[in-house]
Amino acid sequence: MTGHVPALVQPTADRGETQASFPRARAALARAAQRQAASPPGRLRALRSAFLDAHTDAVYAELTAGHTRGLRLAELAAAAEGAFPGLVPTAAELAADRALAQARKAGHEIDLGIFFCRILRSPRSGGHLVDTLLRPTARALDLLPGFTATGRADLGSVRMERRDGVARLTLCRDDCLNAEDDRQVDDMETAVDLALLDDAVELCLIRGGEMTHPRYVGKRVFSAGINLKSLHSGGISLVGFLLRRELGYLHKIWRGVRVDDGASWRSPTRSKPWVAAVDTFAIGGGMQLLLVVDHVLAASDVYLSLPAAQEGIIPGAANFRLSRYTGPRLARQIILEGHRIPATDSEARLLVDEVHSPDELDAAVERSLDRLRGPAVAVNRKMLNVAEEDLGAFRRYMAEFALEQALRLHSADVIDKVGRFTTRGVVPLS
């Protein structure tokens, strides 16, 4: 294959013709993948891309039994491996990559990025996938009876307590300043599901717990963002972290969890107001989290930052959401130049609703929770979010993010930067 796309996988103008060519294109893809196993990866990627450009909806329909079953990201990739040989990396290839440091990986996640990019680009297939990912996880459904009965759940990196109608989520990765990895993404999505599904919860609070890290012993920290140490060692995945985080718990905080309660005439999503209380700093993913909650309080010694340029990666959906809060010029300064914002700076008023001295923050949090109670608050925040963020625009952003972030993960500059951050013994702040 030398720059052209085989005719069997080229798009055609006629829908019936495309459907008729689908089996032939599928067989051609499998044969080409076998022949090109030892070829430069770019050639096979071009073939996979062309096949999906022509047949995305047919592929997705087959994998989901005509949209009658919802598959999560990892499940969808696994199903594609079995149904369409050569379309995505094999489970063995992905497992081998997961065992390696980031610098030594073969880059198979780039092929997953191609796959999810094409699925999400399609209004029909991507819309169904985004909708599927708003449903509660199996883990959350298993834990829900216990949480509703006791009002408590210890998920590992997140502790939950329901008190006075408030689900209080405490981020408790005290060893790494709440720097996120795949494990914490799973815990956070479970916690968000539980908070939204429990009828006794009226609103939700997110706050960092006290740290044991030598530099911050006994001090609350909100979030240091992505765990760069985990990224360096190969422990940050495209599917389990970078895509699941945005399409999972962050999107659920913003839009709500999808429930099937038998009332087809009602909205399928259940949402509630969210408050974030920020101690010490909200860096990277921590700052991204602030963009999807309804009210943000910060201690006066807090700072906010999105050091994406220093790390070389894309800061999730912050590029999509931040300018709504700050305007485009300041958003570019924050994302492209690493501009840091102290909570006491006038610019912080665009991102933080209240700033208090550290010893007054607890009381201020409780006052804000009292103000945000009530069913009218919940429905109005829902309508504000519907007006502010178009679901189709979010899906299209995530389509491009899937591929561009995969490419960034395996780029030479990211590997070099992350290696330097960690080998110098720098605290893994994102």
Side-chain angles (χ1 to χ4, degrees), residues 68-293:
T68 62
R69 63 175 184 153
L71 297 179
R72 296 187 179 275
L73 296 168
E75 296 170 335
L76 191 63
E81 179 199 350
F84 296 91
L87 182 58
V88 295
T90 66
E93 289 171 331
L94 292 171
D97 248 13
R98 277 195 297 269
L100 300 174
Q102 192 66 23
R104 298 178 58 208
K105 292 181 185 293
H108 293 301
E109 287 184 315
I110 295 173
D111 298 273
L112 289 181
I114 292 170
F115 176 70
F116 287 114
C117 173
R118 271 30 181 215
I119 297 295
L120 288 165
R121 276 183 185 172
S122 163
R124 178 161 171 74
S125 301
H128 185 270
L129 177 59
V130 170
D131 183 73
T132 295
L133 298 175
L134 287 176
R135 296 179 183 275
T137 65
R139 182 186 179 197
L141 293 174
D142 287 343
L143 294 174
L144 183 61
F147 179 69
T148 57
T150 66
R152 293 179 180 274
D154 188 342
L155 304 173
S157 59
V158 184
R159 289 193 298 268
M160 295 184 67
E161 179 186 12
R162 184 187 65 236
R163 191 168 73 247
D164 300 326
V166 179
R168 299 167 186 266
L169 282 62
T170 301
L171 312 179
C172 54
R173 289 293 298 275
D174 56 323
D175 59 325
C176 62
L177 308 180
N178 288 324
E180 284 189 289
D181 54 16
D182 286 34
R183 166 193 164 190
Q184 188 155 342
V185 167
D186 182 60
D187 290 345
M188 275 297 290
E189 184 165 12
T190 303
V192 168
D193 284 347
L194 292 174
L196 292 174
L197 292 171
D198 183 3
D199 291 333
V201 170
E202 193 173 357
L203 67 162
C204 313
L205 169 69
I206 303 174
R207 192 172 185 183
E210 293 185 0
M211 299 291 105
T212 59
H213 190 282
R215 287 174 56 182
Y216 298 91
V217 173
K219 186 174 178 61
R220 284 183 180 267
V221 168
F222 189 70
S223 174
I226 192 171
N227 191 314
L228 295 179
K229 185 176 180 181
S230 292
L231 178 56
H232 175 67
S233 65
I236 298 294
S237 70
L238 177 70
V239 170
F241 183 100
L242 294 162
L243 292 180
R244 180 179 175 182
R245 183 175 186 274
E246 304 301 326
L247 292 163
Y249 86 81
L250 289 178
H251 197 210
K252 287 174 176 177
I253 289 175
W254 181 263
R255 202 168 296 275
V257 67
R258 185 177 177 90
V259 295
D260 294 315
D261 58 5
S264 59
W265 54 272
R266 298 184 61 179
S267 170
T269 55
R270 182 181 301 179
S271 62
K272 296 172 184 178
W274 289 83
V275 174
V278 183
D279 300 272
T280 310
F281 46 66
I283 303 173
M287 183 172 168
Q288 295 166 35
L289 177 53
L290 304 184
L291 304 180
V292 295
V293 302

Side-chain angles (χ1 to χ4, degrees), residues 333-345:
Q333 293 169 28
I334 293 170
I335 293 173
L336 303 181
E337 302 176 35
H339 180 55
R340 179 185 292 191
I341 301 179
T344 53
D345 194 280

Side-chain angles (χ1 to χ4, degrees), residues 30-41:
R31 290 194 302 271
Q34 287 181 330
R35 289 196 304 267
Q36 299 189 43
S39 300

